[in-house]
Amino acid sequence: MINSRNINQTKVRRNILWTVVMFLLISGSLMFLASPSYAQDGEEEADVVWTQPIPISSSRPSSWFPDIAVDETGMIHVVWSSGVSVVVADGMQDAYDVVMYTSSLDGLTWNDPIDIFSSPNPGYGAYEVTRPTVHSFREGVLNMTYRYLDVFYAYAPIDQVNFASAKPSVRQMSSSSSSYYSQLARDSQGVFHLIFTENVYTEQCPNCYHLFYRRSPDNGNEWPVLQDISLLPAGSGKPQILIDDKDNVHMVWESGRGGGLGQLSDPTSVKYAVSYDSGDSWSLPFEFPSPGGRARNPALGITGTNQLITVWLGLPEARVYYQISNNRGLSWSEPAPIPGIYGVESRLDSYAMITDSAGNVHLVTVGRQNPQQQSLEILHTTWSVMNEEWSDPSIIETYPGDEPEWPRLAIGNGNQLHLTWFVRDQEHIFESDAGRYQVWYASAMLDAPVEEFDPEERPEPTHQPEAVFTMTASPAPAATEPAGFDSDLPLNPNLESMESQIILVLLRNLAPVAAILFLGVLLVRLFKR
């Protein structure tokens, strides 16, 4: 006789079993669909996944000191210093110091690099490093600064930069033939703010590059303001400029003796100055106190809540320190080390910071994760605006022998992080003429709101400066393929590597679901016994 009580108990057990299994399956699916890649609202932050780094320049002649910008349409623009050699009559060669340029719509396929500015050079290659910076200010115009003894400001329509017929307007910004670094910013009123370094000869310091400031209220046509910000009888280098939501202008720089060839002698420090009236007047330089007595490699960032962050390398202990200002630069917190990052002393390197649409600040440095480590790494960490702390550093690339340098960041659509840097080959670390220095690129998607571009909202370009003089690309047939260009150089990313990264991300997200399914099967087998 069949026991109805046993049947009922079996049915109840099965109902409970399948209820548990369905609950686990639904929970696992929801975890998979809703699991964020990165931190939000105080949640634990996961690693940012970077694409496989790819070279976007040739390595002969050397390519170095890049800069990067993303315009309102999402197009990526990269410039860097290099040189080209042109064969003239009787097999002789003329050499040019150049600004190289390339662009990409997706970071996967890049246009062939071209030289957009050039200056004759009695030697070969990058004799006078052009040190370009590039900026997109939401008006369909690409703005640049660069140097050839003097510092120049230039602009050109974005859609014509790749065409030889385009003749960008160029204006000299410095007053002598001894200038080096430069950087440009624009405030909410459309005013351009430019900083650059230029030598100021004195008997006490014949070679001291001061930090100068200029301002243009009409998109670069007139530059009536010229001020010496550094003031002190010392040199300046690696300046960075930042403008907050009140149009206060902040800047940091490295200070020490010298400044020629972009280098300062020890002892060096990192200084800060601010203008609360759009550049009319400036605070006296303030020196960030380094526990070891010396500092280099400054960077300046700002959160979505207008919290200023400065980062610099403290020496001789090679710790990377940061300081916070909650009152727009009036006062700063005591220096504190960023966990898990040790820097590398370099006279030519600096760090990069940028803010995403969620208000978090991203920092990229060259360094190590412990002081005993021999290989160098490109490291990325994020300051959370919610938690007010740094994430664990993630590795973008590791170099056992070569030396990476000069990382530069840009944000596209609020949540696309774009990075460029250059690498010195191990055999020629400080031999640029013989070296195979190369510019690299990588990107990462962030868990931040998308800022989509509406072409109808883009303002019409206002009055642009008339050309004081023009400089065109060097008269080389190899304008899109500089002399010594490696024909077998992979200018596009290794798609298989990118696919493998995507697979790893999927596996990481699917792992909780697989565990839950395994638990469900295990429960079924147990109940069947």
Side-chain angles (χ1 to χ4, degrees), residues 93-281:
Q93 289 188 343
D94 283 346
Y96 293 82
D97 295 307
V98 300
V99 174
M100 299 298 297
Y101 167 83
T102 186
S103 60
S104 173
L105 288 171
D106 55 11
L108 304 177
T109 303
W110 290 81
N111 292 313
D112 290 338
I114 61 171
D115 51 303
I116 55 175
F117 296 101
S118 61
S119 298
N121 174 5
Y124 176 77
Y127 182 78
E128 288 291 341
V129 183
T130 52
R131 286 280 188 173
T133 70
V134 63
H135 313 270
S136 177
F137 293 136
R138 298 185 62 83
E139 292 181 350
V141 174
L142 205 61
N143 298 272
M144 290 183 51
T145 64
Y146 69 101
R147 69 172 292 272
Y148 182 77
L149 302 178
D150 290 295
V151 166
F152 300 93
Y153 159 72
Y155 80 91
I158 286 175
D159 58 358
Q160 296 181 25
V161 173
N162 270 318
F163 295 95
S165 60
K167 292 187 177 181
S169 293
V170 179
R171 183 178 289 270
Q172 182 176 320
M173 293 289 101
S174 57
S175 58
S176 73
S177 294
S178 299
S179 306
Y180 203 81
Y181 291 102
S182 62
Q183 195 174 56
L184 187 67
R186 194 180 76 162
D187 64 24
S188 65
Q189 304 303 309
V191 177
F192 283 12
H193 302 265
L194 171 71
I195 55 176
F196 62 92
T197 61
E198 179 176 319
N199 189 34
V200 176
Y201 176 88
T202 63
E203 291 185 359
Q204 296 78 12
C205 188
N207 180 30
C208 278
Y209 280 58
H210 286 212
L211 180 61
F212 284 89
Y213 165 81
R214 300 196 74 161
R215 180 181 65 196
S216 174
D218 55 1
N219 283 343
N221 187 41
E222 299 292 338
W223 297 83
V225 176
L226 176 63
Q227 297 185 53
D228 185 343
I229 304 301
S230 53
L231 298 176
L232 305 174
S236 305
K238 310 174 188 175
Q240 294 193 16
I241 187 171
L242 184 151
I243 300 176
D244 65 26
D245 66 338
K246 300 296 184 183
D247 287 339
N248 301 313
V249 187
H250 310 265
M251 62 179 69
V252 294
W253 67 95
E254 190 176 295
S255 181
R257 302 281 291 190
L261 302 179
Q263 302 182 52
L264 299 175
S265 301
D266 289 326
T268 55
S269 61
V270 171
K271 290 188 167 57
Y272 165 83
V274 58
S275 172
Y276 297 113
D277 51 15
S278 191
D280 284 338
S281 60

Side-chain angles (χ1 to χ4, degrees), residues 266 268 290-297 312-319 321 343-346:
D266 289 326
T268 55
S290 174
R294 296 190 290 125
R296 287 189 183 271
N297 302 0
W312 39 268
L313 174 65
L315 296 169
E317 71 275 23
R319 292 303 305 266
Y321 289 91
V344 179
E345 183 169 4
S346 171

Side-chain angles (χ1 to χ4, degrees), residues 52-59 80 102 107-108 110-111 113 397 399 420-421 423 437-442 485-486 488-494:
Q52 180 70 30
I54 60 169
I56 58 174
S57 79
S58 67
S59 59
W80 63 87
T102 186
L108 304 177
W110 290 81
N111 292 313
E397 187 63 287
Y399 295 91
T420 187
W421 68 97
V423 177
Y437 302 171
Q438 202 162 17
V439 174
W440 290 73
Y441 166 85
F485 190 85
D486 295 329
D488 58 346
L489 177 69
L491 288 182
N492 293 330
N494 187 325

